[in-house]
Amino acid sequence: MQKPNSYRSGPDEAGRFGAYGGRFAAETLMPLILDLERAYRAAQADPGFQSEFEDYLQHYAGRPSPLYFAERLTAHFGGAKIYFKRDELNHTGSHKINNCLGQILLARRMGKTRIIAETGAGQHGVAAATVSALFGLPCVVYMGEVDVERQQPNVFRMKLLGSEVVPVGSGSRTLKDALNEALRDWVTNVEDTFYIIGTVAGPHPYPELVRDFQSVIGREAREQIIQAEGRLPDTLVACIGGGSNAMGLFHPFLDDEGIEIYGVEAAGHGIDTGQHAASITGGRPGVLHGNKTYLLQDDDGQITEAHSISAGLDYPGIGPEHAWLSDMGRVNYVSATDAEALAAFQLCSRLEGIIPALEPAHALAHVAKIAPYLPTEHIIVMNMCGRGDKDIFTVAKALGIEI
Amino acid sequence: MKGGTARIDARFAKLRAEGRAGLVTYVMSGDPDLATSASILAGLPAAGADVIELGMAFTDPMADGPSIQVAGLRALKAGISLKGTLAMARRFRQNDQETPVILMGYYNPIHAFGVEPFLAAAGEAGVDGLIIVDLPPEEDDELCLPALRAGLSFIRLATPTTDDGRLPAVLANTSGFVYYVSYTGITGAGSADAEAVGAAVARIRRHSDLPVAVGFGIRTPARAAAIAAAADAVVVGTAFTDAVRDSLDDDGRAGPGTVEAVLALVRSLADGVRGAARGSAS
């Protein structure tokens, strides 16, 4: 494959990143998707939109999030310097608020009066419920029954924020089924409804606009690391479910070719067990939820169930731009198991006083694998994309502790 | 007789000659099991089906309501695959050279099969056309254009949201007939006003000479008759997956009446369609 002049110029007019992406949507939705693209282009060209977005990021979400030198973990591993981009300190406790603020401002510009969203771990659902409350719009969040069960605190949070949470009992009853159900709602309520997709997936232009709204993470990290160290980092690490926090961190650095980039997928019980959520490591290209990308599927093209201890990574696909970056060899896609993430979760809590979400605990598990073998002047920036309060019940259960 | 688009065209020419609208029946391939499904399929033409849509099961049918979702899962559990569906079509074709068979479903199983091998196998099995819900004209290079080159029809869905500006793009590479989805929503959910359907059909006819079949929300002979008065064909699907579901025993297996339950419903809907007063039919 030919190396592009820039890794940051995609997607093309058809919404493709190489062979991936596109608009694989039902005809009922196509006029809406094209409308959304027009509205997004107009918003991009409007300085007023950008300044309104930045104003909410600063005064409502609490940006910029700090870039923090994790000194004790660095000493513990005895190698590379480890920095956390502290997106878990955002309002609502994860990076998801960045994207939700961007999308709801777009929804308002388009005159939409009803919000729908899908959620896995509940972090995106909470963020969507939060911005809906902020702007006084009714919001319906679709969530798989399995996830409703394992993320009770977030379910209650969404209800407190005034949203309706609809448990989805079809299929594997997790994130992919929540997405199906949200699409079914959208196809039914085309006139008034805006669908806030939570990750860099779905039909074009969603992968692009979610990436753009999340790229504030990488832009800040760039400035902050130069301020702290006087130079760019050597390595970036982020966890990947659909891949929005990772794309947000990676994108502003993609053309700095000296920087090694790692996306960490969820290996569940292990890639060879078949019970995992690692679409790139253990899947192959296909079409689902509006885009062509790597998917977990059987020989007949039926989507197989993903597994991860982390509800936010428990998805059988990945954003199409990641699929392309993997094929191009620009980003390395690796994986961490449930057990490795659990160990990292505990280590980070004890050594840094930061209880990470199970999702970035996967990223930290990979940092744990590479940091000890890197020189002490090597700089790693890892996206701490969510806080772990929501996960304490899952972790307690995994550790055999009753609370 | 030639297959593919030619077989579909011949069927609509025959309907025009008879001065009536057609009945298009959607059944899920492999539901509730492969043998029962094959019997249903074989019985459809005699029961009054003019065109058959054979559903290709998929784990994640984003545009379908609960009845067709569950029918697909029953079929997958019973062991259906895309290869199995093609075999089902081939067996049907051995005994019926005239009834068009259209495969309907989602793109991923075809993508996994491989587009060219799939088109070759579909043509060889006597399949005449494809309706792929998640392939809009924006993605015509994927399957639509290769299918047309292979002599198969690619039947497009037009919906209430497809405005006049977009209709030409939707109709550009369509052949066989146009499938008008009569309301915005998932299969089996609502029901459209016959007058609105008439206006929509007239709108499509301003852009195309192709026959217009209308579906979504039609489940009774009376509704079928009302829509048949305005369209070239009436599509029914969820009513049949409901009939299969209602005929199953407590263990979810086909009962003695499963095949007849579906075929009896086809007969009553065909009566409704054939008894319809025809207005402005082309």
Side-chain angles (χ1 to χ4, degrees):
Chain A
M1 225 168 300
Q2 206 187 341
K3 190 177 125 10
N5 293 326
S6 167
Y7 290 102
R8 303 180 64 205
S9 55
D12 65 17
E13 277 181 17
R16 297 282 185 141
F17 302 92
Y20 305 104
R23 286 180 281 226
F24 295 85
E27 175 58 26
T28 307
L29 293 180
M30 279 309 300
L32 283 84
I33 286 166
L34 296 172
D35 256 358
L36 173 63
E37 188 179 353
R38 278 188 291 272
Y40 183 53
R41 297 286 170 245
Q44 279 177 309
D46 177 359
F49 178 80
Q50 201 56 35
S51 66
E52 189 183 19
F53 178 47
E54 279 163 16
D55 190 66
Y56 278 105
L57 284 179
Q58 184 184 345
H59 297 107
Y60 190 71
R63 301 205 74 92
S65 69
L67 184 73
Y68 163 74
F69 175 44
E71 199 170 350
R72 294 195 70 211
L73 271 171
T74 298
H76 176 81
F77 293 127
K81 290 179 90 165
I82 300 163
Y83 282 86
F84 289 160
K85 179 60 176 160
R86 299 287 304 275
D87 255 53
E88 101 281 12
L89 291 176
N90 294 334
H91 179 44
T92 74
S94 80
H95 67 291
K96 295 292 188 185
I97 191 78
N98 307 329
N99 169 47
C100 285
L101 280 169
Q103 287 201 46
I104 203 154
L105 292 175
L106 205 48
R108 278 160 54 88
R109 279 177 76 102
M110 295 178 74
K112 301 292 182 182
T113 55
R114 175 176 177 267
I115 300 297
I116 57 171
E118 85 295 339
T119 197
Q123 294 301 86
H124 173 59
V126 166
T130 297
V131 298
S132 298
L134 175 64
F135 290 104
L137 296 178
C139 174
V140 176
V141 180
Y142 292 92
M143 188 170 188
E145 285 177 354
V146 170
D147 294 333
V148 167
E149 182 57 37
R150 60 182 165 176
Q151 300 289 347
Q152 275 298 324
N154 273 344
V155 173
F156 186 57
R157 213 166 273 148
M158 286 183 267
K159 289 179 179 169
L160 280 175
L161 290 160
S163 282
E164 182 189 346
V165 179
V166 178
V168 176
S170 59
S172 60
R173 299 180 294 137
T174 58
L175 180 53
K176 85 171 168 80
D177 310 287
L179 242 151
N180 289 335
E181 216 51 44
L183 286 167
R184 289 176 188 130
D185 179 312
W186 201 22
V187 108
T188 308
N189 300 289
V190 287
E191 295 299 331
D192 63 346
T193 297
F194 190 98
Y195 180 13
I196 300 188
I197 292 187
T199 192
V200 285
H204 176 66
Y206 279 106
E208 176 189 351
L209 70 87
V210 175
R211 174 200 72 197
D212 292 349
F213 292 144
Q214 291 293 2
S215 291
V216 65
I217 300 171
R219 284 197 304 274
E220 286 175 6
R222 234 183 131 84
E223 280 180 26
Q224 290 166 323
I225 196 71
I226 286 171
Q227 203 156 40
E229 293 280 351
R231 67 179 181 92
L232 292 175
D234 301 293
T235 299
L236 303 175
V237 183
C239 64
I240 305 225
S244 71
N245 93 83
M247 194 53 71
L249 175 66
F250 298 168
H251 197 258
F253 292 98
L254 286 176
D255 285 334
D256 299 288
E257 294 208 37
I259 300 178
E260 269 208 274
I261 307 180
Y262 292 95
V264 186
E265 298 190 297
H269 296 313
I271 301 291
D272 51 1
T273 66
Q275 292 179 291
H276 61 81
S279 314
I280 286 187
T281 313
R284 61 201 161 81
V287 171
L288 180 70
H289 294 150
N291 59 179
K292 184 181 276 191
T293 189
Y294 281 82
L295 300 172
L296 301 181
Q297 55 183 316
D298 67 15
D299 290 342
D300 190 41
Q302 305 297 336
I303 307 304
T304 53
E305 292 181 17
H307 166 80
S308 171
I309 190 170
S310 145
L313 304 183
D314 203 344
Y315 178 67
I318 186 166
E321 194 166 9
H322 286 295
W324 176 71
L325 289 168
S326 175
D327 281 9
M328 298 305 296
R330 177 63 191 99
V331 176
N332 306 295
Y333 293 87
V334 296
S335 64
T337 63
D338 287 356
E340 289 166 339
L342 267 174
F345 179 98
Q346 295 169 83
L347 187 70
C348 186
S349 300
R350 283 200 310 272
L351 288 186
E352 293 292 349
I354 297 170
I355 300 176
L358 279 169
E359 291 80 18
H362 284 74
L364 186 56
H366 188 71
V367 170
K369 289 177 197 171
I370 60 173
Y373 308 102
L374 292 167
T376 52
E377 66 274 16
H378 191 102
I379 300 169
I380 297 176
V381 172
M382 187 203 103
N383 198 7
M384 181 59 75
C385 62
R387 65 175 184 230
D389 309 47
K390 68 181 175 62
D391 292 318
I392 56 172
F393 302 102
T394 303
V395 171
K397 199 174 157 201
L399 298 175
I401 295 161
E402 212 167 301
I403 49 176
Chain B
M1 170 184 292
K2 268 187 74 181
T5 306
R7 184 152 36 216
I8 301 173
D9 292 347
R11 175 49 49 105
F12 277 98
K14 178 167 173 273
L15 292 171
R16 260 194 308 278
E18 291 175 12
R20 66 176 180 90
L23 174 64
V24 181
T25 56
Y26 171 98
V27 292
M28 177 63 75
S29 171
D31 176 34
D33 60 70
L34 276 55
T36 306
S37 178
S39 300
I40 291 171
L41 194 58
L44 286 175
D50 296 301
V51 175
I52 295 171
E53 288 178 10
L54 189 56
M56 300 178 282
F58 183 47
T59 41
D60 295 78
M62 282 105 61
D64 284 304
S67 182
I68 291 179
Q69 287 173 41
V70 172
L73 294 179
R74 278 196 301 264
L76 289 170
K77 205 173 156 199
I80 199 66
S81 61
L82 184 49
K83 213 174 148 190
T85 294
L86 290 166
M88 188 95 62
R90 188 181 307 115
R91 269 202 305 281
F92 172 85
R93 187 57 75 218
Q94 281 163 3
N95 299 311
D96 186 314
Q97 297 298 312
E98 285 168 15
T99 309
V101 173
I102 320 282
L103 296 184
M104 179 164 180
Y106 297 81
Y107 182 37
N108 199 53
I110 294 171
H111 185 268
F113 197 102
V115 165
E116 292 302 334
F118 166 76
L119 291 172
E124 186 266 329
V127 168
D128 305 302
L130 306 172
I131 303 175
I132 308 299
V133 178
D134 52 355
L135 285 177
E138 281 75 3
E139 302 295 347
D140 270 359
D141 290 341
E142 292 281 339
L143 181 65
C144 173
L145 297 179
L148 296 181
R149 283 196 293 272
L152 296 184
S153 278
F154 199 85
I155 291 139
R156 200 88 71 183
L157 304 174
T159 72
T161 59
T162 313
D163 60 23
D164 281 320
R166 186 171 165 77
L167 255 179
V170 168
L171 297 171
N173 292 316
T174 303
S175 58
F177 62 94
V178 180
Y179 184 155
Y180 181 66
V181 173
S182 61
Y183 61 84
T184 57
I186 52 178
T187 52
S191 109
D193 169 51
E195 222 167 283
V197 168
V201 170
R203 187 165 71 89
I204 293 169
R205 283 187 180 142
R206 283 200 294 277
H207 291 268
S208 171
D209 294 331
L210 288 171
V212 181
V214 175
F216 278 47
I218 301 161
R219 45 200 315 140
T220 63
R223 285 286 303 157
I227 300 296
D232 298 300
V234 176
V235 190
V236 180
T238 296
F240 301 129
T241 51
D242 280 352
V244 169
R245 178 198 64 208
D246 294 343
S247 75
L248 302 178
D249 67 18
D250 292 343
D251 299 322
R253 282 191 292 258
T258 296
V259 174
E260 180 49 28
V262 174
L263 296 183
L265 184 57
V266 174
R267 281 191 289 271
S268 72
L269 288 159
D271 284 347
V273 167
R274 284 163 203 242
R278 302 239 57 202
S280 60
S282 54

